[in-house]
Amino acid sequence: MPTELPYAADAEVSLAFDELAVLRRQYEKEVDQSHVTVQTKFNYAWGLVKSPIRDHQVEGVRLLQEIYRAEPTRRRECLYYLSLGYYKMDNFEEARKFNALLLDKEPTNMQAQSLAELIDKAVAKEGYIGMAIAGGVAALGTLLVAGLVRRARK
């Protein structure tokens, strides 16, 4: 899903496995010590959201939501990655919601503007696919009805 948009690179670039492993080890170490810093949690969530693996993305979004709820001073930096995580999981409604919150706070944020364009394109593509499926179902229904009408006439 390459894009000409330079600012939404996070939508397509993942961390290397070993880079994510470093973030995971730090997070798990702090969990074991019963004190996870907000920065460690954010870093790990960021790495998970950037992953191409859906389970990682889900966990990353969950951690970012925890930070968003518990740390009002960190909300702004969570918004983009929450939006990105939802975008990568094809939950465009939530992606759009969080991205709009960020754009309300920072209308000139190029990353958010670029991500908004990617979300809009994905929604449009999803709509075209939906219309094609609906058209196919309608055509199939018409053929079935026509076949039943022919049988009834015989």
Side-chain angles (χ1 to χ4, degrees):
M1 148 176 33
T3 178
E4 315 77 53
L5 305 169
Y7 297 101
D10 290 317
E12 298 158 3
V13 178
S14 300
L15 292 182
F17 177 76
D18 57 334
E19 293 171 319
L20 184 57
V22 167
L23 296 174
R24 178 181 290 115
R25 279 193 301 274
Q26 180 63 35
Y27 177 76
E28 290 172 349
K29 176 183 171 188
E30 290 185 20
V31 166
D32 290 343
Q33 295 171 347
S34 300
H35 179 71
V36 179
T37 65
V38 174
Q39 190 61 51
T40 294
K41 190 178 208 178
F42 180 85
N43 291 348
Y44 184 46
W46 167 80
L48 290 169
V49 162
K50 290 174 62 82
S51 172
I53 299 168
R54 185 174 177 88
D55 288 344
H56 288 175
Q57 296 163 1
V58 169
E59 178 66 7
V61 165
R62 186 187 67 75
L63 293 172
L64 286 167
Q65 286 174 330
E66 288 177 6
I67 296 168
Y68 185 83
R69 288 185 190 110
E71 302 290 334
T73 60
R74 303 294 293 263
R75 285 185 178 157
R76 191 217 54 81
E77 64 188 310
C78 289
L79 288 173
Y80 175 77
Y81 289 103
L82 280 166
S83 182
L84 178 66
Y86 282 119
Y87 167 78
K88 290 180 77 172
M89 294 187 298
D90 295 334
N91 185 339
F92 304 124
E93 185 177 326
E94 288 296 307
R96 189 177 267 158
K97 178 178 89 173
F98 283 103
N99 203 50
L101 288 171
L102 179 55
L103 285 169
D104 284 346
K105 294 176 186 296
E106 298 179 11
T108 59
N109 183 311
M110 296 299 282
Q111 277 186 313
Q113 290 175 0
S114 160
L115 185 55
E117 288 183 40
L118 289 176
I119 294 166
D120 290 344
K121 286 180 183 178
V123 168
K125 181 180 175 185
E126 192 176 71
Y128 295 140
I129 291 170
M131 288 188 312
I133 290 170
V137 168
L140 182 60
T142 301
L143 291 173
L144 288 173
V145 168
L148 291 173
V149 168
R150 281 191 193 141
R151 273 198 177 146
R153 288 185 181 168
K154 288 184 181 182

